[in-house]
Amino acid sequence: MRVRPLILAMLVARAASAEAPDTTSSVTGASVSGIVRDSVARAPLSGAVVQLVAADNPARFGRTANTDSLGRFVFNDVPDGSYTLGFFHPMLDSLGVEAPLKGVSVAGQRSVETELAIPSPARLHSAICGKPAKGDSSALIVGVVRDAVTGTPAPGVTVSGEWVEFSFRKSGVQRRVPRLVATTSDNGWFAMCNVPSAGTVALIASKGADSTDLIELQVPAGGLLRRELFLGQQHTVVASTGSEPLSPFALPPRRVHLGAGTISGTVYASAGGRPLINAWVGITDGPETRTDDHGDWTITNAPAGTRMLEVRALGFYPDRRLVDVLEGAPRVRIGLATLQSVLDTVRVSATRLTSRDRSGFIERVRTGPGRYITAGQIAKRPATFASDLFRTISGLKIGFASDTLSSDMIIAVSPDDMRTTDRRILMRGIAGDWCAPVVYLDGLAQPGLGADEIDAWLDPKAIEGIEIYSEATVPTQFQKWRGGCGSIMIWKKR
């Protein structure tokens, strides 16, 4: 995909001298205008540096223009002749390609309109990974890894990716976790081919003691994902037990982050835009805070680099997203949807035969490997709050952050984590330690859902049934990355 590098080098040299007086400014002629498009995002490309040079001798004639917010550019007073047109943009660097140059002819002082574009995902895939076989729908992940402090490209960084694949065989459902590994080049660029399209991939970049978090990326259906990663410094103090540290299906090692930065933002309700007060905001495996009366929050000791940010507020669906903790990073605005509005988007269509058990709960009670509490059993239990139903179940308890020190991925716990608020439903893990299971409500995963939130949303009388599974017995449809502690399903009455 690297086209005519000699002329591009001349264009770069011309850009370096862009401040020199333009000796051709007195020449009258035609205009050369057009649009630069981002074929990956299918949108105009703003902020691109477009250059027009004489085809026979770039040093004889050269102009530079920047595209506006609509991707438009224009060169005025261009004399008749043959020219070469090209552009530069940081996105080209992260894709690891150079945009093809385009020939332009001006004759009779007639104006010329043209288009430039970043190569399409299909062309990028063929150029980087080779021409795909017929029927191949695999995707491509590309990007640049940079140092979180200096912003410079980081060479020799290992970028690893994993995802889950299920195979349906006569013997049952089999699960495997394929893994791909790439190493960044001298300019920090990496590419990962043969990634499943329209799926979730767990990615981590590491070099020695420096690392990003294990981040979750949604690969678009278009088959190309571009993401810059920022490497922050951390130190691993406890080795993992048996599995690779990358695997989201095994307990990761504990880590202490050495680099620190500041990240801030606002949490608000998506419907209406009102600020959410006292919402919980935290970096995965890192510090946390609460929003103030204006919905604003700041974490001053956040580990530098690419991290996962989690946000929860009472009555709202949790949010989990990628953030880059860097100096001068923009504020993060997060709109939360109410739990009811999220669940209202889930519609179940069934015949009369299956409508009695739309969730499959009754069938799993009969044949499943978990533990189950039916509506009849709930009615007989003296439960004032929904969380009371879990107090008398073997292997479960209501606890706090301090109860999960042996299974959490940070070795230090702040005084705030030792408080007796923000109650959790805890499960006895495989190693015998207390850990926090993934909680599902009507089949929808609720990351980080606490006991207080369950009590606020659910009346025990409104619960149709509860399913409890250890990590080893969770049904495939309820297996969740980074769960590592089993799952609890709560079904409401219809």
Side-chain angles (χ1 to χ4, degrees):
M1 188 60 66
R2 296 187 176 274
V3 182
R4 300 171 66 184
L6 179 59
I7 293 181
L8 280 174
M10 293 180 180
L11 290 175
V12 173
R14 188 70 185 184
S17 60
E19 297 181 357
D22 187 355
T23 59
T24 65
S25 59
S26 61
V27 179
T28 60
S31 66
V32 176
S33 60
I35 295 177
V36 180
R37 299 188 183 279
D38 180 354
S39 300
V40 177
R42 298 181 180 180
L45 186 66
S46 63
V49 178
V50 184
Q51 294 189 324
L52 180 72
V53 300
D56 58 345
N57 183 6
R60 179 176 60 83
F61 179 95
R63 299 278 182 83
T64 300
N66 294 323
T67 58
D68 61 16
S69 59
L70 299 177
R72 298 176 301 189
F73 66 91
V74 61
F75 298 97
N76 293 314
D77 296 330
V78 179
D80 290 357
S82 297
Y83 300 91
T84 299
L85 192 64
F87 72 96
F88 303 94
H89 193 273
M91 184 174 176
L92 291 173
D93 297 331
S94 63
L95 290 172
V97 298
E98 294 167 351
L101 302 180
K102 191 168 189 177
V104 175
S105 295
V106 177
Q109 296 187 348
R110 287 190 295 270
S111 298
V112 177
E113 291 188 4
T114 185
E115 287 191 1
L116 299 172
I118 290 176
S120 67
R123 291 185 61 191
L124 291 170
H125 191 283
S126 296
I128 297 173
C129 303
K131 187 176 181 180
K134 186 177 181 180
D136 182 8
S137 60
S138 62
L140 166 67
I141 298 178
V142 295
V144 173
V145 180
R146 301 181 183 276
D147 184 276
V149 177
T150 65
T152 56
V157 176
T158 299
V159 182
S160 303
E162 288 186 353
W163 62 93
V164 182
E165 288 184 357
F166 293 100
S167 299
F168 295 89
R169 306 180 184 278
K170 292 182 178 180
S171 58
V173 179
Q174 295 182 356
R175 185 184 67 174
R176 58 187 294 264
V177 184
R179 184 183 188 191
L180 291 175
V181 178
T183 303
T184 60
S185 57
D186 291 340
N187 61 356
W189 182 79
F190 72 93
M192 194 170 292
C193 300
N194 301 318
V195 175
S197 59
T200 302
V201 175
L203 208 67
I204 188 171
S206 61
K207 183 178 181 181
D210 297 344
S211 174
T212 66
D213 275 351
L214 178 65
I215 60 178
E216 299 169 12
L217 298 173
Q218 187 68 32
V219 181
L224 175 66
L225 176 65
R226 179 187 67 90
R227 186 60 164 85
E228 279 195 320
L229 302 175
F230 293 88
L231 211 59
Q233 189 175 16
Q234 63 181 20
H235 179 59
T236 302
V237 295
V238 178
S240 62
T241 56
S243 299
E244 289 290 332
L246 168 66
S247 176
F249 309 104
L251 182 64
R254 298 172 188 162
R255 301 189 297 271
V256 174
H257 296 288
L258 303 180
T262 299
I263 186 170
S264 61
T266 302
V267 180
Y268 63 94
S270 297
R274 65 179 177 87
L276 296 182
I277 302 171
N278 203 37
W280 181 91
V281 183
I283 297 289
T284 301
D285 313 331
E288 63 184 58
T289 188
R290 296 274 180 172
T291 59
D292 61 17
D293 292 343
H294 303 286
D296 296 330
W297 57 271
T298 299
I299 298 178
T300 56
N301 58 337
T306 300
R307 306 297 169 196
M308 293 298 297
L309 184 74
E310 298 183 37
V311 182
R312 300 200 307 269
L314 191 64
F316 291 82
Y317 188 70
D319 187 282
R320 179 177 168 86
R321 63 178 62 192
L322 288 178
V323 293
D324 295 319
V325 181
L326 307 170
E327 183 178 355
R331 291 174 59 84
V332 182
R333 284 181 54 83
I334 302 171
L336 298 184
T338 63
L339 182 66
Q340 186 62 43
S341 67
V342 173
L343 293 179
D344 280 347
T345 63
V346 180
R347 293 289 183 265
V348 179
S349 299
T351 65
R352 183 178 181 84
L353 178 62
T354 59
S355 61
R356 298 176 183 175
D357 188 21
R358 287 173 289 185
S359 66
F361 173 70
I362 296 175
E363 181 61 26
R364 287 191 294 273
V365 169
R366 296 172 180 168
T367 62
R371 288 175 290 170
Y372 307 92
I373 306 175
T374 65
Q377 293 171 327
I378 293 174
K380 297 178 181 178
R381 300 193 179 196
T384 303
F385 299 101
S387 62
D388 293 337
L389 297 171
F390 301 97
R391 295 182 182 277
T392 59
I393 299 175
S394 175
L396 296 181
K397 75 172 185 177
I398 303 299
F400 307 95
S402 57
D403 295 314
T404 64
L405 299 187
S406 59
S407 59
D408 283 344
M409 290 181 288
I410 53 173
I411 197 169
V413 176
S414 67
D416 286 342
D417 285 330
M418 302 300 291
R419 64 187 183 277
T420 56
T421 59
D422 192 16
R423 299 179 305 143
R424 304 180 180 184
I425 298 177
L426 302 181
M427 178 181 291
R428 183 74 74 178
I430 294 178
D433 301 320
W434 290 106
C435 54
V438 178
V439 178
Y440 288 76
L441 181 56
D442 282 349
L444 194 64
Q446 307 290 325
L449 189 67
D452 292 326
E453 293 164 313
I454 291 175
D455 289 343
W457 294 341
L458 292 173
D459 186 305
K461 298 177 182 178
I463 298 176
E464 178 68 29
I466 298 174
E467 304 178 49
I468 303 163
Y469 298 95
S470 68
E471 182 181 4
T473 62
V474 179
T476 55
Q477 66 266 39
F478 298 119
Q479 290 171 341
K480 184 73 174 175
W481 279 13
R482 297 181 66 86
C485 187
S487 297
I488 294 175
M489 271 65 73
I490 303 174
W491 303 97
K492 296 193 301 181
K493 292 179 179 179
R494 300 289 181 175

